[in-house]
Amino acid sequence: MSEKLLPRAERRRRTEGRILDAARTLFAELGFERTTIRAVARMAEVDPALVMQYFGNKQELFRRAVRVAPVPDAGLDSDELVEYLLGTLTLKIGELPQSSLAMLRSMLTHPEAAASARELLGRQIDRLADSVHGEDARLRAALMTMIMLGVTVGHQLLELDELREVSQEEIARVLRPSLRALTGPEV
Amino acid sequence: MSEKLLPRAERRRRTEGRILDAARTLFAELGFERTTIRAVARMAEVDPALVMQYFGNKQELFRRAVRVAPVPDAGLDSDELVEYLLGTLTLKIGELPQSSLAMLRSMLTHPEAAASARELLGRQIDRLADSVHGEDARLRAALMTMIMLGVTVGHQLLELDELREVSQEEIARVLRPSLRALTGPEV
DNA sequence: TCGTTGAGTCAACGGTTGTTGAGCGAAATG
DNA sequence: CATTTCGCTCAACAACCGTTGACTCAACGA
């Protein structure tokens, strides 16, 4: 146990990291309400009071735990667009970051998670709308986003057998035409 | 207030109905965890203890509140299939029964709601798989179901502006090609 | 070396929640 | 009319939760 010998700053950094990891795991698995500060502390091998001392309250702990990477920039043609989406699916199915899972898990029942989800999905829609042309570009971008949301929810959160049984490549292959049907006319 | 004069059986029936209506409303709006027996009782204008007396516990109240209509039987061709799905969307967007909304709202955070959702979606997939032909019939049926789930979640539960701003017919029109892309070859 | 800082613990409070048991009063029953 | 039934309320309990304040002790800076 060389941990006791670490300098103060480093020790603090690691403990905070352990708490955030535990929080992400539990929020992703159970959602905001069913995750207790006590359980997070137990998993991080720390006193519950320390979690409060570091993060103020449960709300703020959640906020810090679900900080998610920003959506990359736009400017793709139709083909690249579809492959980008199917790629995120592959990514999602493989190892979607637990911070995103935590947000998705709580988005239907926790007001702030819902707000975060709306913002994230809104950015995704904006980004797609830039690469989609023709009429109803924005609506089509929104529907593409909803398709990906539905598949991700079914696969990652509901863990439906029908999606778990097949490979990510197979899902991408079968789903591809549906996304292509929503990309606008070629430029 | 002629209610006081009603016969016992009728009075009981109406009170139970009021409780179930209140429960459905709150479960659909807040999900299982954030809905309290006390809030349900308040909305039904009844003492909290009465809810327990009638339904035993919160779990059973939820079970009774989310009883959902069974999925109709199969045997459609590809066109009918797509229109059936888009029709449920119209239905969903208009007035999806609150019992279904209650189940959907809690499916990511409440274990039993998740089980119900898996069962309901599983039946939907079975039903579609009967009307879809060719290879990967089951996977394609599952993806069609996930598409509808994603659109419904985005529209009904997350209430995304991008979907709320347009009419249900417009959504159906733009979404149709994506569903058609998943129906098998014509018989 | 000595005082200060800060990581981490301990025990407790106040509030909310699901749940229970005793009891009231009006309707049903004979 | 007397008695039983039962819809319904009242008050309380036990458990759990987020949160707080006082405290311990080792690392740090002068």
Side-chain angles (χ1 to χ4, degrees):
Chain A
M1 312 305 174
S2 59
E3 297 219 354
K4 297 272 179 194
L5 308 174
L6 288 173
R8 246 329 219 252
E10 181 62 13
R11 214 174 137 71
R12 157 81 189 234
R13 227 184 49 83
R14 293 197 188 185
T15 304
E16 195 168 309
R18 277 206 329 270
I19 295 177
L20 278 176
D21 281 346
R24 267 187 281 266
T25 300
L26 290 175
F27 281 137
E29 202 169 313
L30 305 173
F32 183 85
E33 328 284 349
R34 295 179 102 89
T35 298
T36 68
I37 298 279
R38 291 169 208 264
V40 171
R42 203 176 317 128
M43 179 173 286
E45 291 178 313
V46 148
D47 190 276
L50 193 65
V51 179
M52 304 304 297
Q53 192 175 325
Y54 282 177
F55 298 94
N57 54 35
K58 185 180 176 181
Q59 185 62 242
E60 192 59 30
L61 173 64
F62 180 79
R63 221 171 281 160
R64 288 280 305 275
V66 303
R67 286 262 168 85
V68 76
V71 179
D73 51 333
L76 303 178
D77 64 31
S78 298
D79 282 2
E80 292 169 337
L81 182 62
V82 169
E83 296 312 318
Y84 158 74
L85 281 179
L86 293 173
T88 65
L89 182 69
T90 303
L91 179 90
K92 280 179 172 37
I93 288 180
E95 186 69 16
L96 186 64
Q98 243 166 353
S99 58
S100 304
L101 280 185
M103 201 202 62
L104 292 177
R105 176 73 74 186
S106 302
M107 71 182 171
L108 301 185
T109 44
H110 186 55
E112 180 157 327
S116 295
R118 270 189 284 264
E119 190 189 323
L120 182 72
L121 295 173
R123 278 205 302 268
Q124 168 89 290
I125 292 173
D126 288 346
R127 181 217 195 293
L128 293 186
D130 274 350
S131 298
V132 160
H133 305 93
E135 277 184 55
D136 305 310
R138 192 163 183 78
L139 175 56
R140 292 208 309 277
L143 289 177
M144 291 174 84
T145 303
M146 293 304 100
I147 289 179
M148 301 306 297
L149 178 67
V151 175
T152 303
V153 164
H155 191 287
Q156 292 287 318
L157 302 181
L158 289 177
E159 305 186 3
L160 296 184
D161 292 338
E162 287 84 354
L163 296 179
R164 294 245 144 184
E165 281 166 356
V166 299
S167 73
Q168 50 214 42
E169 289 84 6
E170 209 167 342
I171 294 179
R173 176 174 56 77
V174 177
L175 189 59
R176 185 173 290 112
S178 290
L179 291 176
R180 283 198 179 276
L182 286 169
T183 64
E186 293 295 331
V187 208
Chain B
M1 312 303 175
S2 57
E3 296 217 356
K4 297 273 179 192
L5 309 174
L6 287 174
R8 239 178 180 144
E10 179 64 12
R11 212 173 140 71
R12 157 80 188 234
R13 227 183 49 82
R14 292 199 190 185
T15 304
E16 194 168 309
R18 279 207 327 272
I19 295 177
L20 277 176
D21 281 345
R24 267 187 281 264
T25 301
L26 291 175
F27 281 137
E29 202 168 311
L30 306 173
F32 182 85
E33 328 284 348
R34 294 181 101 88
T35 298
T36 68
I37 297 279
R38 288 172 157 87
V40 171
R42 202 177 316 126
M43 179 173 286
E45 291 178 311
V46 146
D47 191 274
L50 193 64
V51 179
M52 303 305 297
Q53 193 174 326
Y54 282 178
F55 299 94
N57 55 34
K58 186 181 177 182
Q59 186 62 242
E60 191 58 29
L61 172 65
F62 181 78
R63 222 170 280 161
R64 288 279 305 274
V66 303
R67 287 264 166 84
V68 77
V71 179
D73 50 334
L76 305 176
D77 65 30
S78 297
D79 282 4
E80 292 169 336
L81 182 61
V82 169
E83 296 312 319
Y84 158 73
L85 281 179
L86 293 172
T88 66
L89 183 69
T90 304
L91 178 92
K92 279 179 171 41
I93 288 180
E95 187 67 19
L96 186 65
Q98 243 165 353
S99 56
S100 304
L101 281 185
M103 200 202 63
L104 291 177
R105 176 75 73 188
S106 302
M107 70 181 171
L108 300 185
T109 44
H110 186 56
E112 179 156 327
S116 296
R118 270 189 283 265
E119 189 188 323
L120 182 72
L121 294 173
R123 279 204 302 268
Q124 168 90 288
I125 292 173
D126 288 344
R127 182 215 193 294
L128 292 186
D130 275 350
S131 298
V132 160
H133 305 94
E135 276 184 54
D136 305 312
R138 191 164 183 78
L139 175 56
R140 292 209 309 278
L143 288 177
M144 292 175 84
T145 303
M146 293 304 100
I147 289 179
M148 300 308 295
L149 178 67
V151 174
T152 302
V153 164
H155 192 286
Q156 292 286 317
L157 302 180
L158 290 177
E159 306 186 4
L160 296 184
D161 292 339
E162 287 84 355
L163 297 178
R164 294 245 143 185
E165 281 166 356
V166 299
S167 72
Q168 50 213 43
E169 288 83 6
E170 210 167 341
I171 294 181
R173 176 174 57 78
V174 177
L175 189 59
R176 185 172 290 111
S178 290
L179 292 175
R180 283 196 178 277
L182 286 170
T183 63
E186 293 296 330
V187 205

